[in-house]
Amino acid sequence: MYFPVYRPRRFRRTENLRRMVRETSLRVDQLVYPLFVMPGKGVKNPVPSMPGVHQFSVDTLLKEVKSAAGLNIPAVLLFGLPSAKDEWGSEAHAESGAVQQATRAIKDRYPDLVVITDVCLCEYTSHGHCGLLKGKEVDNDATLEVLAKTALSHAQSGADLVAPSDMMDGRVGAIREALDESGLDQVGILAYSAKYCSGFYGPFRDAADSAPQFGDRRAYQMDMANSEEAMREVALDIEEGADMVMVKPALPYLDIIRRVKDEFDRPVAAYNVSGEYAMIKAAAANGWLDEQRVMMETLIAIRRAGADLILTYFAKDAAKVLRA
């Protein structure tokens, strides 16, 4: 039987050989840990649909942040829950808001840790939509002022990056202008540029109490069938001042991550979202797959597609594996 001179299996025989020719690497430096913070003290509420994920008050959040920092995770992403909701999402930009308090506390205790804050209104509005309403429609332009005000309040509290996830047209430019006019030109913007209207967000909406009270978000989040539109969205955000762009979710949109990485000269983040996390957790709990192996395979796939950063609820677990 004839064999070619080159046999690919020669470099698969041992772990050290495999390591030598491995094309894609994952480092703890590339992980961002999402966290949910809410008012109160001593709060650590488990999220039933996301095993291992909790809602924290600021005091308990600091313990979780200490754990993440001890694993050398470089950044956290903060989502806030309000003490009360209203039609305008007023607590999103309140000085006493949970995100603002948590940001100040983290930067005071761990000044070198990068704090990224999610900028959206869905957690704060009584109707659960990502912007102000005019009738039953989200009013894009009226929402921009509130988003800019929210981002500014986060930056003034010490955030290193603000991350608008609302998908309103023009929000990156509005936020950049507000930051620059306030002398906060060194605060960066991580834009959720290609955020798809996805069924993978279900568990997150439990964690953030952010499900819309009517309708859905198809009128402002992207259609799952579109890729050219994603390129236009990324281009617009970069023109408006985005320092980094994001694709969300990650696994169903690996092709989009690859295209963004190839076509644009900006760092690319990808969000390994709640539904992707919950699926692995559920399957592992049923003994259907090896959680650690599939977790790492998933994160490597996102890296291989081109992501420079991965936002993932697996950040601590992955960091432990990488350290070992």
Side-chain angles (χ1 to χ4, degrees), residues 95-170:
E95 185 178 352
S96 60
V99 167
Q100 289 83 348
Q101 290 188 51
T103 300
R104 290 192 292 268
I106 292 170
K107 296 305 285 187
D108 180 63
R109 191 78 60 89
Y110 306 100
D112 294 331
L113 188 72
V114 174
V115 175
I116 308 168
T117 58
D118 182 82
V119 178
C120 195
L121 300 185
C122 60
E123 303 105 303
Y124 302 93
T125 54
S126 53
H127 46 75
H129 279 283
C130 299
L132 306 184
L133 296 184
K134 181 184 289 184
K136 293 290 186 179
E137 300 290 329
V138 173
D139 187 333
N140 187 99
D141 293 1
T143 299
L144 298 185
E145 181 180 352
V146 183
L147 293 171
K149 193 173 181 179
T150 300
L152 183 59
S153 75
H154 292 176
Q156 290 170 334
S157 297
D160 299 286
L161 295 168
V162 293
S165 62
D166 54 285
M167 290 301 286
M168 297 298 115
D169 296 339

Side-chain angles (χ1 to χ4, degrees), residues 55-311:
Q55 300 166 331
F56 297 98
S57 53
V58 173
D59 55 333
T60 58
L61 181 81
L62 287 173
K63 297 175 183 177
E64 186 69 7
V65 169
K66 180 180 180 180
S67 174
L71 291 166
N72 212 28
I73 293 170
V76 295
L77 171 65
L78 299 182
F79 294 94
L81 286 83
S83 57
K85 301 188 180 196
D86 60 32
E87 188 176 345
W88 309 277
S90 303
E91 202 166 313
H93 49 78
E95 185 178 352
S96 60
V99 167
Q100 289 83 348
Q101 290 188 51
T103 300
R104 290 192 292 268
I106 292 170
K107 296 305 285 187
D108 180 63
R109 191 78 60 89
Y110 306 100
D112 294 331
L113 188 72
V114 174
V115 175
I116 308 168
T117 58
D118 182 82
V119 178
C120 195
L121 300 185
C122 60
E123 303 105 303
Y124 302 93
T125 54
S126 53
H127 46 75
H129 279 283
C130 299
L132 306 184
L133 296 184
K134 181 184 289 184
K136 293 290 186 179
E137 300 290 329
V138 173
D139 187 333
N140 187 99
D141 293 1
T143 299
L144 298 185
E145 181 180 352
V146 183
L147 293 171
K149 193 173 181 179
T150 300
L152 183 59
S153 75
H154 292 176
Q156 290 170 334
S157 297
D160 299 286
L161 295 168
V162 293
S165 62
D166 54 285
M167 290 301 286
M168 297 298 115
D169 296 339
R171 89 271 200 214
V172 172
I175 290 171
R176 185 72 270 162
E177 182 178 4
L179 293 174
D180 290 352
E181 287 181 351
S182 299
L184 293 164
D185 57 293
Q186 293 303 299
V187 176
I189 298 176
L190 165 54
Y192 288 66
S193 298
K195 181 178 179 180
Y196 286 83
C197 190
S198 172
F200 284 89
Y201 302 150
F204 173 90
R205 290 172 182 171
D206 292 339
D209 189 24
S210 62
Q213 298 302 300
F214 64 88
D216 54 37
R217 296 175 178 149
R218 296 173 194 267
Y220 44 99
Q221 293 178 355
M222 283 189 56
D223 189 292
M224 64 181 177
N226 295 354
S227 59
E228 296 299 334
E229 182 184 7
M231 301 307 107
R232 293 194 292 272
E233 286 277 15
V234 172
L236 284 168
D237 282 355
I238 290 174
E239 288 173 12
E240 292 176 23
D243 301 285
M244 183 182 298
V245 295
M246 187 194 299
V247 176
K248 180 183 181 183
L251 289 181
Y253 302 96
L254 295 176
D255 60 317
I256 306 301
I257 297 171
R258 183 73 262 165
R259 283 199 64 184
V260 172
K261 182 63 178 176
D262 287 344
E263 295 185 26
F264 297 96
D265 183 24
R266 285 293 188 281
V268 179
Y271 203 142
N272 178 214
V273 299
S274 60
E276 298 166 13
Y277 172 88
M279 287 194 305
I280 293 175
K281 284 288 188 179
N286 281 284
W288 297 337
L289 49 76
D290 180 325
E291 179 178 328
Q292 180 176 300
R293 182 175 180 181
V294 173
M295 169 188 72
M296 296 304 290
E297 187 174 348
T298 295
L299 298 177
I300 287 289
I302 298 168
R303 279 280 297 131
R304 192 179 63 244
D308 299 295
L309 291 179
I310 304 174
L311 294 79

